[in-house]
Amino acid sequence: MLLAILLLCSAPLRAEWDYSSDNTLMGVHRQFPNGASRLNDISEGQLESLTGARYMNGAFQFEAKALLRSIQSPINKYANDFAFADLTPPRRLMKLYAPIGGEGEENQTMLDAGSLWASYNTESWQFSGGRRAMGIGVLKVIPVWNRLYPVLPTASGYMFINNPDIFDVRWNQGQWTIASYSIFSQYYDDSISAVELINYGDKVENHFLLSRWWNQNTAGYSTVVDSSFGIFRLESLLVAKEDKSKGGFQVGLGWEKAFTEKFSLLAEYYHSTYGAQDFDDYLALTPTPFRALLASDYIYPQMTYKFTDFYSQNLGFLTNMIDQSFMLIAESTYSYSDNTDFFVTLRCPFGSEGKEFGHISVPITSEKLEYGRWLSVGLKMNL
């Protein structure tokens, strides 16, 4: 940060500033017909605004953006409710979060640093540190490597993304890149470190990963192959067994092809040894951050059709191959201008009692677990 201040004070004539504001305003209606929430029907309003500037001075860049989030929801009054909207971000290294308003109010608002980082680039090296967005892995929908964000559109609660506090160093030489990054938390168990070797070929891209997530050593391999039959993706992760922590293996396969300018298909398959192989075992699963879903095997087909230059439709089905329940995920997008998009999103689970996308009764407590139905209507503006 001292380097950023010195360069800002001695800015040459070629220095540039880039201001931006990304805003999402959304209305959401949720239903929990099987009693997982205190309220069967919940109507909510959500606002997220990320506003700030990026400073560029040759090889040096610095960015600072403030993040404002607000949720107007009746369920905010019940902190122990399944559908409770907790705005508190994860335990990152920099404590920059500031709640606005008291507990138990329908309106919850928070102010945070959404982005705060600096980087310096040379011909072969890149150094960066601070709070910024980061994504790893190659799959589009069911990520195996990326555990930084809500990993699936089925995640309960809100789909807000909280950028991590990270320091990384990259070295580039020809078709090869070596990336070393560390993600810092206030607690050691939540910190992550990794080294990734990447090779970029003409039609093939290979990634090799050695990392430590949540006090467990992991190794992974992923690849992307571009062919006339479509784009093929593979992403795998091996988790070593340590002390009381269970080891495991996860793999995802993906395929994507654009048949015309308007029509494309995508399909992904996911397998995890952390998931149950029988739906009767769902409640007996050992908690682990390496498992995002209950079963061992899933498949996700998705169709995208662009009706006009401004209007497109996505339709996908996330299917549990163990209990045959599934979630329909549909999204319509209309681009009013280059900077403004209207969208409608529907998430609707289908399944009977005891199935993942139905509802699961917890013995003794009489609690119900269910994803619920979501209908979102919103507006995105990038200024």
Side-chain angles (χ1 to χ4, degrees):
M1 206 58 67
L2 178 59
L3 177 61
I5 295 173
L6 292 175
L7 286 175
L8 283 171
C9 294
S10 59
L13 293 176
R14 60 176 179 171
E16 299 179 7
W17 287 91
D18 181 21
Y19 299 92
S20 65
S21 180
D22 301 325
N23 305 280
T24 301
L25 179 64
M26 181 165 53
V28 180
H29 183 73
R30 296 193 283 170
Q31 292 181 334
F32 296 92
N34 298 299
S37 173
R38 299 192 187 200
L39 302 178
N40 290 336
D41 292 87
I42 307 170
S43 295
E44 302 162 316
Q46 301 178 27
L47 169 66
E48 182 177 67
S49 178
L50 182 64
T51 304
R54 179 180 298 184
Y55 169 82
M56 294 163 285
N57 181 355
F60 174 78
Q61 293 188 50
F62 173 74
E63 181 177 279
K65 291 186 178 181
L67 176 65
L68 176 69
R69 287 180 182 154
S70 182
I71 294 178
Q72 176 74 31
S73 172
I75 207 65
N76 287 343
K77 296 180 179 180
Y78 311 110
N80 60 342
D81 195 282
F82 174 81
F84 177 67
D86 186 2
L87 288 181
T88 305
R91 301 176 297 187
R92 296 169 292 185
L93 182 64
M94 294 188 287
K95 301 179 182 180
L96 304 174
Y97 162 77
I100 303 174
E103 296 182 0
E105 298 180 358
E106 289 196 8
N107 181 59
Q108 289 196 6
T109 304
M110 60 149 282
L111 186 64
D112 198 2
S115 178
L116 184 65
W117 58 268
S119 71
Y120 186 80
N121 301 329
T122 68
E123 185 175 347
S124 301
W125 291 90
Q126 176 183 338
F127 305 88
S128 67
R131 179 169 298 173
R132 64 176 178 82
M134 180 188 178
I136 59 175
V138 297
L139 290 178
K140 289 290 191 71
V141 181
I142 313 179
V144 174
W145 285 10
N146 189 359
R147 303 298 179 184
L148 305 176
Y149 309 138
V151 295
L152 289 168
T154 59
S156 60
Y158 293 87
M159 303 306 297
F160 294 137
I161 292 177
N162 295 289
N163 293 336
D165 294 340
I166 182 171
F167 178 79
D168 69 282
V169 178
R170 293 175 180 267
W171 176 78
N172 305 292
Q173 188 65 46
Q175 295 182 332
W176 292 92
T177 294
I178 299 177
S180 173
Y181 41 89
S182 297
I183 299 171
F184 299 99
S185 171
Q186 299 170 24
Y187 299 87
Y188 175 76
D189 290 350
D190 292 336
S191 297
I192 300 165
S193 58
V195 176
E196 184 178 356
L197 176 65
I198 309 169
N199 177 258
Y200 299 97
D202 293 335
K203 297 288 185 177
V204 180
E205 179 181 316
N206 292 295
H207 300 249
F208 305 88
L209 179 74
L210 291 175
S211 57
R212 187 166 180 82
W213 296 70
W214 299 300
N215 275 340
Q216 287 188 258
N217 292 322
T218 64
Y221 169 72
S222 67
T223 185
V224 180
V225 179
D226 189 356
S227 72
S228 58
F229 299 100
I231 300 175
F232 296 87
R233 296 181 173 90
L234 179 146
E235 193 171 316
S236 62
L237 187 71
L238 178 65
V239 183
K241 180 179 180 180
E242 295 186 19
D243 299 328
K244 299 180 181 180
S245 300
K246 179 183 176 181
F249 177 72
Q250 302 175 61
V251 63
L253 302 173
W255 170 79
E256 182 180 12
K257 183 174 175 61
F259 292 88
T260 67
E261 293 183 356
K262 294 186 174 183
F263 179 68
S264 64
L265 290 176
L266 177 147
E268 290 189 1
Y269 165 76
Y270 172 74
H271 171 78
S272 171
T273 59
Y274 289 103
Q277 297 185 1
D278 191 305
F279 63 85
D280 290 333
D281 298 330
Y282 286 162
L283 295 178
L285 291 171
T286 303
T288 172
F290 289 101
R291 187 187 66 251
L293 294 164
L294 294 178
S296 59
D297 295 274
Y298 294 84
I299 189 169
Y300 180 82
Q302 177 184 286
M303 176 191 72
T304 300
Y305 191 81
K306 191 173 183 180
F307 290 88
T308 68
D309 292 339
F310 308 103
Y311 173 64
S312 64
Q313 173 72 55
N314 290 338
L315 181 63
F317 300 87
L318 181 63
T319 303
N320 181 321
M321 300 177 68
I322 301 300
D323 63 23
Q324 286 76 55
S325 64
F326 67 91
M327 176 172 282
L328 180 151
I329 304 167
E331 182 174 15
S332 300
T333 303
Y334 179 80
S335 298
Y336 178 76
S337 66
D338 292 340
N339 301 321
T340 305
D341 292 333
F342 296 95
F343 64 89
V344 178
T345 303
L346 174 67
R347 290 186 279 165
C348 191
F350 293 88
S352 57
E353 184 174 2
K355 307 296 181 68
E356 180 174 18
F357 297 122
H359 64 280
I360 301 174
S361 299
V362 180
I364 303 176
T365 64
S366 299
E367 292 180 342
K368 302 281 188 179
L369 301 179
E370 62 176 321
Y371 286 103
R373 305 167 189 154
W374 285 58
L375 176 64
S376 305
V377 179
L379 169 69
K380 292 183 179 180
M381 296 183 64
N382 303 315
L383 306 176

